[in-house]
Amino acid sequence: MRLQRIVDLLAVAALVLLGLSGYLTWVSANPGNGRKDVVFNGYTITKAPVTLALAAVVAVVVTKLAGTLLRRVLGGLVVLLGVAAIVVALGVRPDGPELSRLRPELSDVIANQVTQTVGPAPWLALVGGIALVAAGLLTALTAGRWRRPTQRYERDPAAAPADQWKAIDAGEDPTL
């Protein structure tokens, strides 16, 4: 499999994982005393994973049109976006007052012991961030071996211009 395809697959996997982390349960708060659990999805807690995933996918798409140096720079940018997604996945754990700010129905029960349970979303964001780091590193390290975007349309330098005209007259495409 070509390196570009691997980077594409990693970027799409990261987009799916980080996107899912925005819609799945990030934190579940149990206010106690028989009250119903309050569920916070990832997009309520932080919008960073989805935003980072979209920015990384745009950077990966631009690498298709870029030269080697810009590919390396964009690969470094994707690594930074992946590291930011990892930091968000590991670091964003809202406490009781933050949860009460997000959901007013928790404000009157914060005095009670609120038990928090971490949902699957931070782990999906963590794996998505790791996939972005892998895609960025692979891009930055192998950018010189990628096919140029115009390589398909370049003609054979060994062919003489007269031969190319003869090929066109014969109905052939000399760029293939």
Side-chain angles (χ1 to χ4, degrees):
M1 187 183 296
R2 288 194 329 220
L3 295 171
Q4 291 171 318
R5 298 273 185 214
I6 295 171
V7 169
D8 292 344
L9 289 174
L10 285 170
V12 168
L15 177 66
V16 168
L17 290 169
L18 290 168
L20 278 175
S21 76
Y23 295 101
L24 295 178
T25 301
W26 196 280
V27 174
S28 177
N30 183 354
N33 295 334
R35 294 185 187 115
K36 189 172 95 173
D37 285 357
V38 180
V39 176
F40 296 89
N41 65 8
Y43 207 67
T44 303
I45 300 294
T46 177
K47 294 170 181 51
V50 176
T51 306
L52 292 169
L54 291 174
V57 168
V58 168
V60 168
V61 168
V62 171
T63 59
K64 304 290 181 208
L65 305 172
T68 303
L69 179 64
L70 187 56
R71 281 186 189 140
R72 291 186 199 281
V73 170
L74 289 172
L77 176 66
V78 171
V79 168
L80 291 176
L81 292 170
V83 168
I86 291 170
V87 168
V88 166
L90 294 176
V92 176
R93 299 287 185 267
D95 55 357
E98 179 69 19
L99 292 177
S100 68
R101 187 187 63 78
L102 294 172
R103 290 277 175 88
E105 62 263 20
L106 282 178
S107 63
D108 59 341
V109 296
I110 287 299
N112 297 342
Q113 182 64 22
V114 175
T115 307
Q116 293 182 18
T117 309
V118 177
W123 304 113
L124 292 176
L126 178 67
V127 174
I130 292 170
L132 281 182
V133 169
L137 285 175
L138 191 61
T139 301
L141 296 175
T142 63
R145 291 187 269 170
W146 286 24
R147 197 172 98 181
R148 292 188 317 267
T150 59
Q151 187 175 11
R152 178 177 173 187
Y153 305 105
E154 293 176 359
R155 59 186 165 95
D156 182 16
D163 295 335
Q164 291 177 358
W165 281 111
K166 289 178 187 175
I168 290 173
D169 289 339
E172 299 172 7
D173 186 359
T175 61
L176 298 177

